[in-house]
């Protein structure tokens, strides 16, 4: 008999592992505008171009665009896969977990309402389509995918719920299995409530790292890079409020001006890398 085509071969199911682990985020998702930053439904596409980078994100009327809060599920997936790989375990794009495991990992409640919100987030991740030139040989070659290829609720022979299965796209899965494309993030990220606030933390973590001198962006450049539908004045107002609150875990923000008089945001690390603190906290717990 002729062997089945590669795309029809069964994919091994990877079961989520319990216990604490460092949070990992995909660097490409931290650096570029892939998600809606608003809690209200967004239908307007993100159409972003900068140099050789091209990104087009489209949403359906029924579900709207995947939001930066929905992306917490991708952080959960990346954290699970990288931790399993580092422990010598086999991973897969097809993942299985209970809603309770996902919700508690991303700092949510476990009520019936939260379960319903989780399913709505999975629907948005599945129905949002992305086309990007990132990690493609040339700008003209675009990789097209959804954040989740498919997902379903699992039940046993009696119809009792067992959890959720989901399938990640190749583009995302390949990126998180390469060390250079993953960064640890602070668990306090899940406590950030604003869309721009969350997006700014991820950008700062990606570019600021642990560099002593930090990093700087002018606000107009940041506004373009965010992909937000908010006007520049509103965006600048929210960034100034974030600077006043100093709410980004691990970073100190300052506002200055460029030589041309434009607002300039500078950020510097204020404490060690979150993975270092995670390991110290884990070691302290093990010694109790």
């Amino acid at each position: 008999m002729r062997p089945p085509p590669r795309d029809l071969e069964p994919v091994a199911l990877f079961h989520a592992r319990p216990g604490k682990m460092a949070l990992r985020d995909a660097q490409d998702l931290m650096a570029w505008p892939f998600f809606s930053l608003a809690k209200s439904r967004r239908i307007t596409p993100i159409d972003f171009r900068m140099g050789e980078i091209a990104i087009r994100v489209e949403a359906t009327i029924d579900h709207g665009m995947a939001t930066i809060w929905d992306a917490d599920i991708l952080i959960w997936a990346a954290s699970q896969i990288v931790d399993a790989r580092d422990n010598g375990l086999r991973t897969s794009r097809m993942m299985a977990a209970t809603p309770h495991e996902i919700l508690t990992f991303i700092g949510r409640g476990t009520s019936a309402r939260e379960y319903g919100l989780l399913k709505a987030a999975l629907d948005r991740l599945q129905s949002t389509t992305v086309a990007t030139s990132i990690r493609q040989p040339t700008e003209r070659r675009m990789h097209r995918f959804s954040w989740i290829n498919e997902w379903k609720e699992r039940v046993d022979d009696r119809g009792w719920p067992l959890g959720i299965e989901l399938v990640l796209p190749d583009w995302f899965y390949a990126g998180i299995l390469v060390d250079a494309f993953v960064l640890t993030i602070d668990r306090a990220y899940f406590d950030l409530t604003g869309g721009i606030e969350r997006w700014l933390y991820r950008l700062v973590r990606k570019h600021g790292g642990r560099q002593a001198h930090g990093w700087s962006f002018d606000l107009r450049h940041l506004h373009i890079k965010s992909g937000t539908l908010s006007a520049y004045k509103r965006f600048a107002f929210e960034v100034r409020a974030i600077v006043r609150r100093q709410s980004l875990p691990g970073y100190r923000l300052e506002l200055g001006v460029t030589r041309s008089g434009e607002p300039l945001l500078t950020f510097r690390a204020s404490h060690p890398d979150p993975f270092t603190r995670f390991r110290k906290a884990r070691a302290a717990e093990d010694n109790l």
Side-chain angles (χ1 to χ4, degrees):
M1 293 180 63
R2 185 182 302 175
R6 288 183 59 88
D7 59 353
L8 295 181
E9 292 177 358
V11 180
L13 188 62
F14 169 54
H15 290 268
R17 303 169 66 237
K20 292 185 178 180
M21 59 188 67
L23 268 61
R24 269 86 170 199
D25 203 352
Q27 290 194 44
D28 291 329
L29 275 60
M30 301 166 80
W32 305 105
F34 281 108
F35 301 100
S36 170
L37 305 185
K39 292 184 177 179
S40 57
R41 181 177 298 188
R42 174 170 176 169
I43 305 300
T44 305
I46 295 174
D47 200 352
F48 176 86
R49 288 184 177 273
M50 183 173 290
E52 296 182 353
I53 300 298
I55 298 170
R56 172 83 176 179
V57 184
E58 297 178 316
T60 65
I61 295 176
D62 289 340
H63 298 293
M65 184 178 294
T67 71
I68 198 163
W69 295 272
D70 300 337
D72 289 356
I73 296 172
L74 299 178
I75 293 174
W76 162 80
S79 303
Q80 285 281 340
I81 290 169
V82 174
D83 186 77
R85 182 205 62 189
D86 290 350
N87 282 278
L89 301 176
R90 185 177 179 181
T91 65
S92 168
R93 293 191 300 116
M94 182 180 287
M95 301 185 66
T98 65
H100 183 274
E101 288 170 335
I102 299 174
L103 290 169
T104 53
F105 187 92
I106 62 178
R108 310 279 179 89
T110 55
S111 65
R113 178 179 179 275
E114 292 290 350
Y115 184 21
L117 293 175
L118 174 65
K119 291 196 290 184
L122 289 167
D123 281 340
R124 283 189 293 272
L125 289 166
Q126 194 278 323
S127 61
T128 297
T129 57
V130 179
T132 181
S133 63
I134 295 174
R135 286 190 273 122
Q136 300 306 298
T138 67
E139 182 184 352
R140 294 181 180 180
R141 293 186 63 179
M142 304 284 278
H143 194 130
R144 290 172 171 81
F145 58 91
S146 294
W147 292 117
I148 292 177
N149 287 353
E150 57 182 276
W151 76 276
K152 67 179 180 181
E153 295 180 272
R154 303 165 61 221
V155 296
D156 63 17
D157 295 338
R158 296 173 296 172
W160 291 98
L162 294 176
I164 290 172
E165 284 184 14
L166 59 88
V167 182
L168 300 169
D170 281 328
W171 185 88
F172 177 77
Y173 183 71
I176 61 178
L177 282 182
V178 179
D179 285 333
F181 294 152
V182 179
L183 284 176
T184 54
I185 62 172
D186 199 303
R187 185 161 290 277
Y189 167 78
F190 292 140
D191 298 327
L192 300 178
T193 58
I196 290 177
E197 190 174 38
R198 280 175 157 239
W199 167 80
L200 189 58
Y201 170 79
R202 298 172 87 187
L203 185 77
V204 165
R205 176 72 184 104
K206 168 66 173 70
H207 290 284
R210 289 174 288 172
Q211 299 181 59
H213 300 292
W215 204 276
S216 295
F217 280 114
D218 70 75
L219 257 57
R220 291 194 181 276
H221 178 80
L222 284 178
H223 179 244
I224 295 171
K225 217 175 178 191
S226 71
T228 181
L229 292 177
S230 296
Y232 170 71
K233 286 186 177 181
R234 178 64 191 177
F235 175 84
F237 173 83
E238 293 197 36
V239 171
R240 289 188 179 98
I242 294 169
V243 172
R244 286 195 299 270
R245 293 195 304 270
Q246 292 296 327
S247 55
L248 302 193
Y251 292 92
R252 180 75 185 175
L253 309 182
E254 296 178 4
L255 271 177
V257 293
T258 65
R259 292 181 179 179
S260 60
E262 291 290 335
L264 182 73
L265 180 69
T266 299
F267 38 90
R268 297 180 177 85
S270 60
H271 60 59
D273 176 79
F275 185 54
T276 301
R277 293 187 294 109
F278 169 80
R279 286 188 297 181
K280 288 181 178 178
R282 185 73 174 270
E285 290 179 359
D286 292 342
N287 291 331
L288 290 178

